[in-house]
Amino acid sequence: MTELIDYLGAFADVPEGERRLAAATRELLERSVMPRIADLYESSAFPSDIIPALAEIGLFVGHGPEHDEARPGPLAWGLAQRELERCDSGLRSLVSVQSCLAMTAIERSGSADQRAEWLPAMRRGVAIGCFGLTEPEHGSDPSGMETRAQRTAEGWRLDGHKRWVSNSPIARVAVIWAKSESSAATGDIRGFLVPLPWPGVEVRPLTRKQSLRVSPSGEVLLKDVRLPESARLPGAEGLGAALACLNEARTSIAWGAVGAAEACLDMAREHTGRRVQFGRPLAGFQLVQERLVAMLDDLISAQLVARRLAELKVRGALRHPHISFAKRHNVAAAQRIAARARALLGAEGIITDRHVMRHMANLESVATYEGTDEIHTLILGADLTGLSAFR
Ligand code: TGC
């Protein structure tokens, strides 16, 4: 196993019980994914064979507002996300979308029947979920969505186009966000559960990606899709219902970025300690040490921010601008660390088997999805000043 860098002991005092999920995640990934991750990435293949094991260790779990003894606490959850992304951001994406977005939407806003129908199967990994919010023309501003939900005598008719939907090529259920036609002017956004496959729904895998290559992403095209009233999420009225799920996924990203950053710093330290140039290891040169310490600066701040996020959540004091801060800060820190690691590995750094360029490419997507750096900057700007720069 790779050595972990926890220089200031940000996680040193985490109780044993809160480490178990992360330890099981790490053991699983080190054994069954890390040995083939470079090949999976090269061939853009998703390791679907690990879904039962991810379910077995308890990574498929909703994050609704109700207290649930069976759910891992924020610290245990975060540490597990860190392990997933230490391996690959695409694996953390799979779990984030299943648990934080799809299952959380059903837990928060679903009827008793919807919860009974979907949550047990999703927990077992028998049903994978996806979350259709973003559209080809509406990413940062989801309130502009063009997907429409129209009332019919039997229930609802959906028409629209969702893009950048992680998990959609392997999903058995899609949470689709649509504007109800009767009140489109006022932006009445509602959520629907669409079983897959379903008449009128076409899922097109997105290919030729240079990032998140082990994550199955796609487009969901909806044409004259007929659904019963029972498919509507009764508790989801307005964009806030979708954004509440994004809060959970953004939190997981803030933790996951720590794992990717640690992996890159570990590799840079190992490489510079071993490679000899001009008669001594690279790590003995002042310029190299300066870079390693700059990476440590970024890593420690990201670790402490992640830990604090979990503490605020436990205390019920977490506000969504805190999550924006953590997502933005930690992903940017991980990007800087990955880029420095790539440089320190020299030409070796571009080889897939050395992993740093894979992390670097993945983090490009991680910086963009679930709210870009710019969007989170403006959310923070509005929170600091009381003035929204969006509209
Ligand atoms: P605004 O008027 O500010 O807010 C609308 C309503 O939502 C509430 N709200 C939140 N609630 C919970 N958590 C949050 N983080 C919230 N942010 C806002 C807000 O209080 C309001 O409620 P109410 O009751 O007053 O109506 O909305 P806005 O349209 O001005 O936009 C705000 C903005 C820009 C911050 C928001 O639209 C935003 O976060 N934009 C970024 C969206 C984003 O992250 N998109 C990418 C999603 S990733 C993706 O689609 C792929 S899914 C994952 C995958 O498959 O990989």
Side-chain angles (χ1 to χ4, degrees):
M1 283 193 184
T2 43
E3 190 191 340
L4 293 186
I5 297 176
D6 185 6
Y7 192 74
L8 283 192
F11 311 120
D13 60 339
V14 174
E16 190 52 38
E18 304 237 51
R19 292 178 186 274
R20 260 184 230 124
L21 182 62
T25 304
R26 187 148 203 248
E27 194 279 325
L28 168 70
L29 298 179
E30 290 273 351
R31 174 170 43 81
S32 65
V33 183
M34 272 314 287
R36 55 185 168 134
I37 191 67
D39 290 339
L40 291 166
Y41 196 82
E42 285 284 341
S43 54
S44 290
F46 169 66
S48 51
D49 56 299
I50 63 158
I51 287 180
L54 294 173
E56 172 85 29
I57 60 180
L59 284 167
F60 296 152
V61 57
H63 293 255
E66 287 160 24
H67 181 72
D68 179 356
E69 281 295 332
R71 181 191 304 151
L75 189 50
W77 179 256
L79 290 168
Q81 303 311 297
R82 171 180 172 232
E83 293 307 330
L84 285 161
E85 201 147 351
R86 184 190 313 287
C87 181
D88 192 89
S89 305
L91 297 178
R92 202 261 315 126
S93 296
L94 164 82
V95 170
S96 292
V97 172
Q98 169 82 343
S99 300
C100 303
L101 295 180
M103 293 179 77
T104 299
I106 298 170
E107 237 180 63
R108 287 187 72 90
S109 307
S111 64
D113 284 349
Q114 289 168 338
R115 292 185 203 194
E117 180 181 359
W118 289 109
L119 292 177
M122 294 176 87
R123 216 169 283 133
R124 294 199 312 277
V126 175
I128 293 296
C130 63
F131 192 85
L133 176 67
T134 297
E135 300 185 353
E137 303 301 333
H138 306 278
S140 292
D141 181 12
S143 68
M145 69 175 65
E146 292 170 47
T147 299
R148 290 288 180 265
Q150 190 180 5
R151 268 201 185 281
T152 63
E154 300 79 30
W156 294 88
R157 173 188 157 162
L158 262 53
D159 289 279
H161 185 172
K162 299 290 176 180
R163 189 169 160 89
W164 302 114
V165 186
S166 301
N167 295 357
S168 56
I170 58 166
R172 273 195 46 202
V173 60
V175 177
I176 297 291
W177 299 93
K179 245 181 216 175
S180 137
E181 196 129 89
S182 56
S183 54
T186 55
D188 184 4
I189 291 169
R190 297 164 186 264
F192 295 86
L193 291 184
V194 183
L196 296 173
W198 190 259
V201 182
E202 184 192 348
V203 177
R204 284 190 197 150
L206 282 164
T207 55
R208 301 168 76 85
K209 290 182 297 173
Q210 293 292 329
S211 170
L212 291 186
R213 288 165 67 92
V214 307
S215 165
S217 22
E219 302 189 81
V220 180
L221 288 84
L222 307 135
K223 196 167 177 204
D224 193 11
V225 176
R226 305 288 173 149
L227 295 168
E229 169 61 23
S230 60
R232 185 173 67 84
L233 290 168
E237 301 261 329
L239 185 60
L243 291 172
C245 303
L246 288 186
N247 287 340
E248 300 299 330
R250 291 168 176 173
T251 301
S252 291
I253 290 172
W255 274 96
V258 173
E262 287 171 346
C264 291
L265 180 46
D266 274 326
M267 284 179 273
R269 214 161 51 129
E270 186 275 330
H271 178 83
T272 56
R274 189 173 40 76
R275 183 167 170 82
V276 174
Q277 294 288 286
F278 302 105
R280 64 178 130 141
L282 290 176
F285 289 96
Q286 290 182 2
L287 283 176
V288 172
Q289 291 187 2
E290 191 277 336
R291 282 189 184 175
L292 290 169
V293 172
M295 292 159 82
L296 188 65
D297 281 341
D298 270 333
L299 180 62
I300 288 174
S301 66
Q303 289 171 331
L304 294 174
V305 166
R307 177 81 199 250
R308 184 65 181 155
L309 211 54
E311 287 165 356
L312 288 171
K313 191 160 189 196
V314 168
R315 287 175 34 203
L318 187 62
R319 297 188 305 118
H320 74 75
H322 294 147
I323 300 172
S324 288
F325 176 85
K327 194 268 181 183
R328 174 182 177 276
H329 176 277
N330 283 13
V331 175
Q335 283 185 295
R336 285 191 294 270
I337 290 170
R340 285 194 162 114
R342 211 295 303 150
L344 286 174
L345 265 75
E348 286 293 315
I350 72 164
I351 303 292
T352 313
D353 303 270
R354 304 305 295 267
H355 307 301
V356 288
M357 192 112 181
R358 176 171 56 80
H359 282 298
M360 202 174 150
N362 281 340
L363 288 164
E364 287 294 308
S365 298
V366 176
T368 296
Y369 69 11
E370 314 274 358
T372 61
D373 182 275
E374 291 80 0
I375 285 291
H376 291 298
T377 301
L378 296 182
I379 290 171
L380 290 165
D383 199 45
L384 278 180
T385 63
L387 300 169
S388 170
F390 290 114
R391 297 176 195 285

